[in-house]
């Protein structure tokens, strides 16, 4: 009675062992070597990321002086839009404040006015 020894190679047929030591080719009907695919994918990913970083750096160099102005414009336009909305929805806003806080129509209108002036003043 000899000892039973099984390893990965022992479980393969002779044909599988011969084909596993030969370099694998990629083509129609042939499977690529997973290590090669991983390396190619990783290299392609690194190359793609490097190109994306270069593009982002170039974009930021060109636009970095304009971005603060664009941000301020967006912020100001938000306040202006809100004040225009308050003006056109004055009654809805004052009714909502009056019904929520039960403060009366006059005080609700004063609060909407203060909010409107605050939006325009910023």
């Amino acid at each position: 009675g000899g000892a039973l020894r099984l390893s990965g190679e022992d479980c393969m047929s002779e044909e599988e062992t011969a084909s596993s030591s030969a370099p694998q080719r990629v083509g129609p009907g042939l499977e690529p070597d997973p290590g090669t695919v991983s390396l190619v994918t990783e290299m392609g990913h690194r190359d793609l990321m490097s190109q994306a970083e270069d593009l982002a750096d170039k974009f930021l160099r060109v636009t970095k002086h304009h971005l603060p102005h664009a941000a301020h414009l967006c912020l100001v336009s938000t306040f202006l839009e809100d004040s225009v909305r308050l003006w056109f929805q004055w009654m809805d806003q004052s009714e909502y404040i009056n019904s929520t806080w039960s403060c009366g129509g006059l005080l609700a209108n004063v609060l909407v006015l203060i909010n409107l002036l605050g939006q325009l003043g910023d």
Side-chain angles (χ1 to χ4, degrees):
L4 182 62
R5 192 184 98 195
L6 292 176
S7 70
E9 277 185 31
D10 293 336
C11 293
M12 288 192 238
S13 68
E14 289 178 25
E15 186 179 328
E16 290 174 330
T17 306
S19 69
S20 69
S21 62
Q24 292 187 1
R25 297 176 302 177
V26 179
L30 299 175
E31 292 295 319
D33 178 27
T36 305
V37 171
S38 175
L39 181 61
V40 168
T41 305
E42 188 175 316
M43 288 174 60
H45 179 70
R46 256 190 250 135
D47 200 31
L48 184 64
M49 289 302 293
S50 176
Q51 288 176 353
E53 287 174 355
D54 291 345
L55 182 64
D57 287 341
K58 184 184 236 183
F59 176 77
L60 287 176
R61 265 182 292 191
V62 170
T63 61
K64 71 180 176 182
H65 299 292
H66 305 291
L67 287 176
H69 301 293
H72 290 142
L73 179 66
C74 289
L75 187 61
V76 168
S77 68
T78 301
F79 285 111
L80 290 176
E81 182 273 331
D82 198 32
S83 62
V84 169
R85 183 182 53 80
L86 273 173
W87 179 259
F88 285 107
Q89 296 177 352
W90 186 284
M91 289 307 297
D92 294 334
Q93 296 292 326
S94 64
E95 286 175 9
Y96 175 76
I97 290 173
N98 187 21
S99 68
T100 304
W101 293 351
S102 301
C103 60
L106 179 63
L107 185 57
N109 281 309
V110 169
L111 290 173
V112 173
L113 178 64
I114 290 171
N115 193 0
L116 177 67
L117 294 175
Q119 294 292 335
L120 290 174
D122 283 344

